[in-house]
Amino acid sequence: MEYKKRLKFIYKLFIGLGTLFMILFFVLFMVIRGQVTDYNIISLIMPMFNGSIFLITGFILNCINNKRIKEIEYLMENGVILHVRVDRVDIGFKKFMKTKNRIITCIYQEGGQNHIFKSEDIFRQVENVLHKGDIINVYVDPDNYKKYYVDVE
C-alpha cells in the first residue's frame, strides 16, 4: 500500500506537467498571434498536444490508483481478517523499473476448500523476514473471497 501512496506523487506530477504545457501553449499562442502574422500553427499545437497527453495520462492513472486505495481501505475497515499461512515468496524482475519485485502467495483452508491469496508487487526484501509457514493477515470481503488485500507491512 505504501507503494501506491508513493505513486500518487508521480501521477500528480504528470497532471502538473500537463497543465504547465497547456498554459505554455496559450501563452505562446497569444504572444505569437499578436506579433507575427505568418506563424506555423503546428509548432504551437505541439505543447498543447504534449500537455493533453500528460494531463490525461496522469488523471487516468491517478483515478485508478485512488480506486484501489479506497478498496484496500474499505477492506481494512469492513472486511474480515484471516490469518493465513505463507506458501512461498516469488521473486520476479520488472524490466521497466530494473528492480526485483516480490509476490507472496498464501493458502487458507476453510471447510475443506483451499483459498489462494497473492500479494501485490513488493519492492523491498521480504524473503528474509517471511518464510514458508509464517502467518500473515489477509483482509477479505466476507461475501466474496476474490476481493482481498494481503497485508505485508
Side-chain angles (χ1 to χ4, degrees):
M1 177 120 151
E2 78 274 356
Y3 177 67
K4 293 205 170 291
K5 288 185 177 178
R6 281 189 221 142
L7 283 177
K8 283 181 91 169
F9 172 75
I10 295 172
Y11 301 149
K12 289 184 180 186
L13 183 68
F14 266 67
I15 293 171
L17 282 174
T19 306
L20 185 68
F21 276 127
M22 303 282 266
I23 292 170
L24 178 68
F25 164 74
F26 286 118
V27 168
L28 279 175
F29 183 73
M30 292 300 175
V31 167
I32 292 177
R33 188 182 74 160
Q35 295 177 354
V36 179
T37 58
D38 184 27
Y39 55 88
N40 188 358
I41 194 73
I42 301 290
S43 63
L44 291 176
I45 292 178
M46 284 308 291
M48 180 72 161
F49 178 73
N50 290 338
S52 62
I53 295 296
F54 273 99
L55 189 68
I56 291 168
T57 302
F59 183 74
I60 290 172
L61 292 176
N62 196 28
C63 288
I64 291 170
N65 193 41
N66 284 343
K67 181 182 176 204
R68 181 61 183 150
I69 287 174
K70 286 179 183 176
E71 287 175 0
I72 291 170
E73 289 173 350
Y74 175 79
L75 286 173
M76 291 179 92
E77 291 175 6
N78 302 320
V80 175
I81 299 175
L82 301 177
H83 303 288
V84 299
R85 182 175 41 90
V86 174
D87 185 45
R88 66 180 183 270
V89 178
D90 296 324
I91 300 174
F93 185 74
K94 294 277 186 184
K95 290 182 182 178
F96 177 71
M97 298 174 69
K98 295 183 180 169
T99 184
K100 292 182 180 179
N101 64 313
R102 282 95 174 148
I103 296 177
I104 299 172
T105 304
C106 307
I107 295 178
Y108 179 70
Q109 296 176 347
E110 180 181 60
Q113 188 177 11
N114 286 341
H115 298 280
I116 298 174
F117 302 108
K118 291 185 179 183
S119 71
E120 295 178 345
D121 290 341
I122 304 166
F123 294 100
R124 61 183 185 342
Q125 284 190 333
V126 293
E127 61 269 10
N128 298 333
V129 179
L130 291 174
H131 304 287
K132 184 175 183 172
D134 288 349
I135 304 296
I136 61 173
N137 293 335
V138 175
Y139 297 90
V140 296
D141 185 355
D143 300 329
N144 185 2
Y145 274 23
K146 291 182 181 179
K147 294 180 181 179
Y148 64 89
Y149 171 67
V150 178
D151 187 16
V152 292
E153 294 180 21

